[in-house]
Amino acid sequence: MYKLLSGLKDYFKRQDIYTDSVIFRLHNSFTTALLLACSLVITATQFVGQPISCIVNGIPTHVVNTYCWISSTFTMPDAFRREAAACYLPKFLWDAIEGGLIRTLVMGLNVGICREDEKCAKKQAMIGYVLKRLRRHKLYVLRYFACEALCLVNIVIQLWMMNRFFDGEFFSYGWRVMKFSDTPQEQRFDPMVYVFPRVTKCIFHKFGASGSIQKHDSLCILPLNIVNEKTYIFIWFWFIILAVMLVGLVIYRLMIIFMPSVRVQLLKTINRSVPREAAQGIAQKTDLGDWWVIYMLGGNLDPPIFKDVVAELAKQIEPPKRNGKL
């Protein structure tokens, strides 16, 4: 199993340059890896061991098992793959849109160990780019915010599709499982058994010696559903938590858009050594797109270098000539 899942480790590699938020990465990389892992586990469980075991007399057991398995409804492992692809879509779009801008601007200054003359030259090149491209990054930041909003849309659609797949049982699945754990033993009705039955009945027909059709009732145990129920309860909790975080993220982005005063504090938060006057100057003299590029640089540059860049930009950027900037 370890070898089977080891291929997913690439989704958890630490990046040297970040162009997105933690929640954005949780939706894209972690959720994609999680769903692929679920798909691999369920697929392996179907082909290792017995996904179904039926009890019947007079007929070879493997024949009845195969018949009852293919004639009943069961979880489709490739559904997880389709969901994983949908979760990875926002990252794919953002990587294509971003085009390596932040990595190009950082120029290796995320680690400030270089010659002083080289460091000064790179800082001046960075400052020169920002000054030259002032008020031309609105589309850049709005596209990123749109990709974050797409994450929320995707999770909502995934929850709705799973609910349809389980005939309206998925939305309340987690709540009923939690309620079940607090119910007295004699009053319990396991909701997981209702969604994923562990015991079922299968009717097998075969021709008898005289040519008449004989009906055989068999009792079947579904070991795979034990894996399914645990997998889906984990997916339910993770999707609900992720949906709540994404709603909070969207609200947070709206605050950044419509409350410029928040941007000052965010620059101070990302690097406490930045003077408040410089942070205020950046927030007042730049629009949302320029501020976002500078903010992203703050998350990647060596702190002393970022402090110098912000201080210099606050001095050189001219305030906008008209009000109503985004």
Side-chain angles (χ1 to χ4, degrees):
M1 185 62 70
Y2 173 77
K3 291 183 179 180
L4 190 64
L5 300 177
S6 61
L8 301 177
K9 65 180 182 297
D10 292 341
Y11 289 96
F12 301 99
K13 283 185 177 179
R14 186 182 182 278
Q15 303 175 18
D16 56 339
I17 301 295
Y18 291 105
T19 62
D20 47 25
S21 66
V22 174
I23 298 177
F24 190 74
R25 292 193 294 273
L26 282 175
H27 173 275
N28 300 322
S29 300
F30 180 79
T31 307
T32 299
L34 172 65
L35 293 175
L36 288 175
C38 292
S39 176
L40 290 173
V41 169
I42 292 179
T43 301
T45 307
Q46 289 190 68
F47 294 104
V48 178
Q50 290 184 329
I52 188 171
S53 180
C54 297
I55 303 172
V56 66
N57 296 322
I59 303 175
T61 303
H62 71 278
V63 174
V64 179
N65 286 346
T66 303
Y67 172 79
C68 293
W69 178 245
I70 65 176
S71 63
S72 302
T73 301
F74 59 95
T75 301
M76 299 168 55
D78 65 315
F80 284 115
R81 297 192 182 96
R82 292 195 293 267
E83 291 173 17
C87 289
Y88 198 76
L89 179 61
K91 176 175 173 55
F92 176 80
L93 292 175
W94 175 237
D95 286 346
I97 292 169
E98 203 272 336
L101 173 63
I102 300 300
R103 180 178 293 275
T104 302
L105 289 177
V106 170
M107 295 178 288
L109 292 180
N110 51 326
V111 180
I113 303 177
C114 60
R115 298 193 313 271
E116 192 62 31
D117 57 340
E118 180 185 355
K119 187 186 300 184
C120 291
K122 289 181 177 180
K123 285 195 293 187
Q124 290 304 315
M126 191 184 308
I127 292 170
Y129 170 85
V130 175
L131 293 174
K132 185 178 180 181
R133 302 284 297 179
L134 273 178
R135 300 173 185 88
R136 298 182 184 179
H137 297 103
K138 287 182 181 178
L139 195 56
Y140 177 87
V141 65
L142 291 178
R143 283 173 173 172
Y144 172 67
F145 287 176
C147 287
E148 287 188 333
L150 181 60
C151 294
L152 176 60
V153 172
N154 173 65
I155 289 298
V156 172
I157 292 177
Q158 295 291 347
L159 287 169
W160 177 80
M161 290 179 65
M162 283 193 184
N163 194 58
R164 289 289 302 271
F165 180 73
F166 290 114
D167 293 329
E169 297 291 335
F170 189 72
F171 278 152
S172 60
Y173 186 44
W175 302 118
R176 287 186 285 121
V177 169
M178 290 190 293
K179 185 179 179 181
F180 165 76
S181 62
D182 296 330
T183 304
Q185 185 69 38
E186 62 276 6
Q187 300 177 10
R188 287 188 174 187
F189 177 77
D190 192 345
M192 293 187 289
V193 173
Y194 180 75
V195 179
F196 297 105
R198 300 167 193 165
V199 179
T200 187
K201 178 182 177 182
C202 178
I203 300 176
F204 182 81
H205 297 88
K206 80 179 187 70
F207 288 101
S210 63
S212 60
I213 297 179
Q214 298 178 346
K215 186 174 79 170
H216 297 267
D217 287 343
S218 59
L219 184 67
C220 299
I221 301 173
L222 301 169
L224 180 61
N225 272 356
I226 299 175
V227 178
N228 287 338
E229 67 182 26
K230 303 301 187 294
T231 300
Y232 275 101
I233 191 61
F234 183 77
I235 293 294
W236 185 90
F237 277 107
W238 174 245
F239 272 23
I240 294 298
I241 292 171
L242 191 58
V244 171
M245 289 192 295
L246 286 169
V247 169
L249 181 63
V250 170
I251 295 173
Y252 176 55
R253 297 307 185 205
L254 291 175
M255 290 174 62
I256 292 176
I257 293 174
F258 297 108
M259 298 174 62
S261 59
V262 175
R263 303 174 196 172
V264 178
Q265 188 58 41
L266 288 176
L267 283 179
K268 287 287 296 175
T269 301
I270 202 169
N271 191 333
R272 296 186 180 278
S273 62
V274 173
R276 187 168 187 83
E277 296 76 14
Q280 288 177 336
I282 293 294
Q284 293 170 0
K285 296 177 182 180
T286 60
D287 63 12
L288 178 64
D290 299 325
W291 175 86
W292 181 257
V293 170
I294 296 171
Y295 179 73
M296 283 288 100
L297 290 175
N300 291 284
L301 289 175
D302 189 51
I305 294 176
F306 180 66
K307 175 186 174 182
D308 296 341
V309 170
V310 169
E312 191 62 29
L313 285 172
K315 294 177 183 177
Q316 296 191 35
I317 293 178
E318 295 294 331
K321 296 180 180 180
R322 57 189 178 86
N323 297 324
K325 65 186 178 67
L326 187 60

